[in-house]
Amino acid sequence: MQRLPSWPIAAGSLLLGFAVADVTGVRPLGGIVLFLGALWCGLRWRREQGLAVAVALVAAFLAAFVLSHPLGKAIGSWPAVLVVSAFVGTIVWARVDRVAPPGTGVSAAPSR
């Protein structure tokens, strides 16, 4: 059985967190979604990739969240959230979820 990739959770929690805050008008609810997404991903990355990788990826997640605010002023809220979500998803996919072609000797995903 294949494991669930973490990139959709990381990117999706940014999208869902903003959507919850936007629809309800209660920003802390969106923050809870962001926190839970980052927590789930961070714990999984720590278990599978080690503490240093987990800290770096959670830092990228948080930096994207912070950068979405000034970017939102320039291009609009939803476009900014889409951009940073795609950025985070791509970083996580490349570092954690990508499986290299056979024979290259390189794989970001853990072997099982």
Side-chain angles (χ1 to χ4, degrees):
M1 186 165 138
Q2 267 189 313
R3 67 183 180 87
L4 174 71
S6 60
W7 72 264
I9 306 300
S13 62
L14 286 164
L15 290 167
L16 184 60
F18 179 71
V20 167
D22 192 37
V23 169
T24 65
V26 182
R27 292 177 69 146
L29 286 178
I32 291 170
V33 173
L34 289 172
F35 173 77
L36 291 175
L39 178 65
W40 184 88
C41 288
L43 290 173
R44 176 162 169 189
W45 296 330
R46 181 176 163 251
R47 182 179 67 244
E48 294 181 359
Q49 303 289 318
L51 183 60
V53 170
V55 168
L57 291 174
V58 169
F61 180 96
L62 295 174
F65 169 71
V66 169
L67 290 172
S68 70
H69 292 82
L71 185 58
K73 292 185 187 315
I75 65 173
S77 298
W78 273 107
V81 172
L82 290 171
V83 166
V84 300
S85 296
F87 177 74
V88 166
T90 301
I91 288 173
V92 171
W93 173 83
R95 179 57 185 93
V96 177
D97 297 321
R98 176 178 52 96
V99 177
T104 62
V106 178
S107 176
S111 59
R112 298 212 177 228

